[in-house]
Amino acid sequence: MGNSQSPPANPRFTSASRSFTPKELEDLKSLFASLAAQSQSNGQYISSSVFQVCFGLKGPLGDRMFDLATQGRKDDKLTFEDLVITKGTYEKGTNDEIEEFIYRLLDVTNDEILTRSDLESVLITMFDHIFHLKGSGSGSRSNCYMVDEFLNAATFSKDHEGCNDKSMSFEDFKSWCSLVPSVKKFLASLFVPPDPGRLGSQVPKLQHLENIDSSIFLLRDEYAWHIGGALSQEELEEWKLLYHSALNGSSFNTFLGNVSSEWVIVQLNCRNNDGPTVLIIKDREGYIFGGYASQPWERHSNFYGDMKSFIFQLYPKASIFRPTGANSNLQWCAVNFSSEAIPNGFGFGGRINHFGLFLSASFDQGHTFSCTTFNSPCLSKTSQICPEVIECWGVVRKGMEHEKQDVVKGTVLERFKEDRHMLNMVGIANASE
């Protein structure tokens, strides 16, 4: 009798296979067979060029992904075992395993030192991919300014012998991911077809009147993508301009009237009337920052809101600060109160007179302090801010069903007529509260 035996099973492959359902494994086999055929390898392996085209990867990021997937063999051959092991770790692993994989992926030079240069290369590739898909005509060069804003949010604290520049440690990387969730969302979804719906690639469609010059807006596609990293997919379909200080005047009552009445009209067509909004401010120092309000801007004598709200920086850093749970001081909106203990204006986080972000009802001043609500720093150069531009966008949730057009035009709209009038006279209607 012969002593020949089947080669021992790769324990990593065996373990990774268990994380897939039988249907998922069959789908992987079909995918592998298709790509191997394109690679002209007699069904044995997938070549680097076919792999990168299939998953929409290119440049240093694509090369590095293929290198990780092939266990660094440098033979230009990705086997079925490689595919299952990589997808098992990258898609089915624990959060720590997935983050460790992405951390290694960012090291495009494969020298085990994650530098600013590595991140810059990856970010340029990302922007080129995302905004090319959107059809905005933006290429890597036109998006380079945004690369700096993301890099400015990163920390490089790891020392290396004989090297003057510090690199990004794994802890630095995890902290950066929490500040720029759009980056992690994109990098964690590279093993799916690169269609416009790929997680991390969606950019909200910014809607406004056609006769408005879009160059006056603070919100650009790149900023919307950054903010959208902290939102659900249903909130990334369409954002509608509700208020702009250059168009509507710098008035608190006008702001609330526009945001509330316009948003009521928009939401009348929808099943839910929760009216989330994105507020953006540019101050005299040139800093751009703001907040996502998950609840409508309504008159209150105390903090309100829920844990979906957050504040953010756009320039010179791109960072998002989500609720820590330390307190419930999320949104603030006080109108026509005479007590000094209730400052009139609106904002987010912190405490009264020491908010994470606050604009007074005069609309000519405000402040931003570090706060435990969001574990956020001062969002501008100094704690006192003088706003130059204020704008607000309404988030239209994807999947909301529209009512019949005659309902909007008929009695339902009439029923809201008085309420809309009162919203335009914010504070007066609720003066008895």
Side-chain angles (χ1 to χ4, degrees):
M1 295 178 62
N3 294 321
S4 62
Q5 296 180 347
S6 300
N10 183 335
R12 292 186 64 196
F13 172 71
T14 302
S15 176
S17 297
R18 295 194 188 106
S19 64
F20 296 95
T21 66
K23 175 64 167 58
E24 288 174 331
L25 278 176
E26 285 302 315
D27 290 343
L28 279 180
K29 288 178 182 178
S30 297
L31 174 64
F32 178 83
S34 173
L35 298 182
Q38 295 175 48
S39 302
Q40 300 180 344
S41 65
N42 293 321
Q44 299 300 306
Y45 61 84
I46 302 169
S47 68
S48 175
S49 58
V50 170
F51 173 85
Q52 294 192 39
V53 169
C54 173
F55 295 108
L57 298 167
K58 60 182 180 179
L61 183 61
D63 292 338
R64 179 59 175 156
M65 176 64 88
F66 189 80
D67 186 52
L68 287 177
T70 56
Q71 322 301 316
R73 290 193 305 271
K74 307 296 184 184
D75 58 3
D76 196 38
K77 298 178 180 179
L78 187 145
T79 66
F80 180 66
E81 284 195 359
D82 291 332
L83 184 64
V84 172
I85 291 171
T86 302
K87 287 182 74 71
T89 302
Y90 183 57
E91 296 179 355
K92 302 288 188 176
T94 66
N95 189 57
D96 283 344
E97 288 173 334
I98 294 171
E99 287 187 336
E100 177 67 31
F101 187 95
I102 298 173
Y103 177 67
R104 294 175 62 203
L105 175 64
L106 291 174
D107 178 21
V108 292
T109 54
N110 193 22
D111 58 2
E112 298 185 357
I113 302 175
L114 184 51
T115 64
R116 186 181 178 96
S117 177
D118 288 320
L119 290 190
E120 181 177 17
S121 175
V122 170
L123 288 170
I124 289 175
T125 300
M126 284 175 54
F127 282 128
D128 186 38
H129 174 87
I130 293 164
F131 296 102
H132 172 73
L133 277 182
K134 188 175 185 297
S136 64
S138 298
S140 58
R141 290 189 178 183
S142 62
N143 288 298
C144 281
Y145 66 87
M146 196 63 185
V147 170
D148 287 336
E149 292 161 32
F150 275 85
L151 289 175
N152 289 341
T155 299
F156 300 88
S157 66
K158 191 174 181 179
D159 290 309
H160 294 275
E161 186 176 352
C163 182
N164 293 328
D165 295 331
K166 295 185 177 183
S167 67
M168 176 179 273
S169 68
F170 185 51
E171 290 304 314
D172 292 337
F173 165 73
K174 291 197 292 185
S175 296
W176 187 57
C177 283
S178 71
L179 297 175
V180 289
S182 52
V183 173
K184 181 181 177 182
K185 188 183 289 187
F186 177 86
L187 292 175
S189 61
L190 295 180
F191 258 151
V192 295
D195 58 69
R198 173 194 264 177
L199 195 66
S201 295
Q202 277 190 272
V203 182
K205 185 176 182 180
L206 305 180
Q207 297 279 31
H208 55 81
L209 295 176
E210 293 182 0
N211 60 348
I212 300 176
D213 181 2
S214 61
S215 66
I216 71 169
F217 300 143
L218 297 177
L219 187 62
R220 301 191 290 258
D221 286 342
E222 295 83 0
Y223 288 163
W225 176 76
H226 167 52
I227 298 167
L231 301 178
S232 64
Q233 290 299 102
E234 68 175 9
E235 295 172 298
L236 301 180
E237 184 76 5
E238 179 182 327
W239 295 0
K240 175 183 173 65
L241 180 68
L242 302 179
Y243 170 85
H244 194 288
S245 55
L247 301 171
N248 306 113
S250 297
S251 164
F252 190 26
N253 279 1
T254 301
F255 168 83
L256 285 176
N258 274 34
V259 169
S260 301
S261 62
E262 289 296 325
W263 207 220
V264 165
I265 293 172
V266 171
Q267 295 294 323
L268 268 176
N269 294 322
C270 304
R271 183 168 289 178
N272 298 318
N273 183 21
D274 49 7
T277 51
V278 176
L279 173 75
I280 306 178
I281 300 164
K282 179 180 180 181
D283 67 12
R284 291 182 185 175
E285 299 291 344
Y287 283 61
I288 305 175
F289 46 85
Y292 170 81
S294 60
Q295 298 297 313
W297 292 107
E298 300 172 337
R299 185 179 190 266
H300 289 264
S301 60
N302 208 335
F303 284 98
Y304 69 106
D306 59 39
M307 300 299 284
K308 295 179 182 178
S309 295
F310 56 86
I311 59 178
F312 52 79
Q313 293 172 310
L314 299 177
Y315 182 85
K317 291 183 180 180
S319 300
I320 285 175
F321 307 97
R322 291 187 266 200
T324 62
N327 57 57
S328 57
N329 299 348
L330 295 155
Q331 279 182 241
W332 178 272
C333 184
V335 187
N336 291 344
F337 285 98
S338 58
S339 171
E340 293 184 1
I342 307 177
N344 290 308
F346 64 106
F348 299 84
R351 62 181 188 274
I352 293 176
N353 295 321
H354 199 95
F355 294 85
L357 173 59
F358 178 77
L359 278 184
S360 70
S362 64
F363 258 40
D364 62 354
Q365 61 181 320
H367 65 249
T368 168
F369 291 99
S370 60
C371 73
T372 56
T373 308
F374 303 105
N375 192 28
S376 57
C378 169
L379 301 179
S380 187
K381 188 175 183 178
T382 64
S383 60
Q384 301 304 309
I385 59 176
C386 296
E388 280 195 341
V389 181
I390 304 167
E391 63 186 44
C392 187
W393 298 77
V395 175
V396 181
R397 293 182 184 273
K398 182 180 181 180
M400 286 186 170
E401 294 182 8
H402 293 273
E403 303 293 340
K404 292 182 180 180
Q405 197 68 24
D406 58 345
V407 173
V408 178
K409 293 179 179 179
T411 57
V412 173
L413 190 58
E414 288 299 318
R415 205 167 69 228
F416 279 87
K417 185 175 182 180
E418 183 178 353
D419 290 341
R420 287 165 51 222
H421 174 69
M422 293 169 73
L423 285 168
N424 282 318
M425 301 176 68
V426 174
I428 297 176
N430 297 318
S432 61
E433 291 184 6

